[in-house]
Amino acid sequence: MTITINTDLATAGQKRIEWANRAMGSMRTVEQRLIQSGVLRGKNIGVSLVLEPKTANLAMAFKNAGATVSVLGRSTGADMEIVNALRANDIAVFADADGAMGDDITIQRQLLDTSPDILVDDGAYVTRLAHREYPELIKKYDGCHRRNHQRCKTITNDARGRGVTNPRGGCEWGIVKILV
């Protein structure tokens, strides 16, 4: 499937991403640390979060730190300005507002087909699919982060199911804390 970029939407999305970035001082600091450390250089990262300007800034920080980044946005919540802006920045995005790329399971599979080394998955939908259909990916993950949600207990903090827990009693391991 050929992906086209709507430049008008991309421009509008880029402005919104830049606007959000101005209020994300901590993210800029983390991005610089990731760049300096080189920890993400050459890594393949899959991101399944609400597709909004903040998520775009996270994806861009990963990319700027040397990672190949793919982003999933559920078809019902895809912000096409952000989708087009990320695509214009050479980030693969599996999402469409009209569902033209397929249902959510189809686009989740497309993300997993990129064989991410690191999976950032809000809702654990993609992680659950990986457990069912991509067991080879689960074997290479060191951990899974899920914040503040009851479903955490069904998947555990550790992607391989060892049941590692946060000493504070929740699943609040921050992505940034894991990476930096």
Side-chain angles (χ1 to χ4, degrees), residues 119-140:
L119 180 60
V120 181
D121 181 14
D122 183 26
Y125 301 107
V126 180
T127 304
R128 286 189 179 119
L129 181 62
H131 272 277
R132 288 191 310 269
E133 298 182 17
Y134 296 78
E136 71 282 1
L137 291 179
I138 296 299
K139 291 176 187 171
K140 71 178 183 177

Side-chain angles (χ1 to χ4, degrees), residues 14 17 27 30-32 34-36 38-47 55-71 85-93 118 120 179:
Q14 188 64 39
I17 292 167
M27 176 56 66
V30 168
E31 178 180 353
Q32 288 307 308
L34 291 172
I35 290 168
Q36 290 170 358
V39 69
L40 295 183
R41 201 169 299 123
K43 297 288 185 184
N44 184 5
I45 301 177
V47 177
T55 302
N57 277 294
L58 177 65
M60 292 297 299
F62 290 160
K63 180 181 184 278
N64 293 339
T68 300
V69 183
S70 301
V71 178
L86 287 173
R87 287 177 177 162
N89 282 288
D90 296 319
I91 292 178
V93 182
I118 299 168
V120 181
L179 294 174

Side-chain angles (χ1 to χ4, degrees), residues 10-172:
T11 299
Q14 188 64 39
K15 287 178 183 175
R16 290 175 54 212
I17 292 167
E18 290 168 0
W19 177 83
N21 190 40
R22 287 193 292 272
M24 298 178 73
S26 296
M27 176 56 66
R28 291 190 305 274
T29 299
V30 168
E31 178 180 353
Q32 288 307 308
R33 288 184 185 173
L34 291 172
I35 290 168
Q36 290 170 358
S37 72
V39 69
L40 295 183
R41 201 169 299 123
K43 297 288 185 184
N44 184 5
I45 301 177
V47 177
S48 175
L49 300 170
V50 173
L51 200 46
E52 61 184 357
K54 293 181 290 187
T55 302
N57 277 294
L58 177 65
M60 292 297 299
F62 290 160
K63 180 181 184 278
N64 293 339
T68 300
V69 183
S70 301
V71 178
L72 179 141
R74 287 187 273 289
S75 56
T76 57
D79 181 327
M80 293 311 290
E81 289 181 351
I82 303 305
V83 167
N84 280 276
L86 287 173
R87 287 177 177 162
N89 282 288
D90 296 319
I91 292 178
V93 182
F94 304 104
D96 271 313
D98 61 4
M101 292 183 77
D103 60 24
D104 284 342
I105 294 292
T106 300
I107 60 177
Q108 289 171 14
R109 286 184 182 119
Q110 290 170 339
L111 178 71
L112 290 170
D113 286 343
T114 69
S115 192
D117 301 307
I118 299 168
L119 180 60
V120 181
D121 181 14
D122 183 26
Y125 301 107
V126 180
T127 304
R128 286 189 179 119
L129 181 62
H131 272 277
R132 288 191 310 269
E133 298 182 17
Y134 296 78
E136 71 282 1
L137 291 179
I138 296 299
K139 291 176 187 171
K140 71 178 183 177
Y141 295 151
D142 288 329
C144 173
H145 164 60
R146 181 68 185 112
R147 68 176 195 282
N148 265 350
H149 202 285
Q150 294 167 343
R151 280 187 283 207
C152 177
K153 294 184 178 28
T154 61
I155 193 160
T156 76
N157 281 0
D158 179 58
R160 286 176 271 191
R162 290 190 304 243
V164 177
T165 57
N166 183 324
R168 289 178 291 200
C171 296
E172 299 173 353

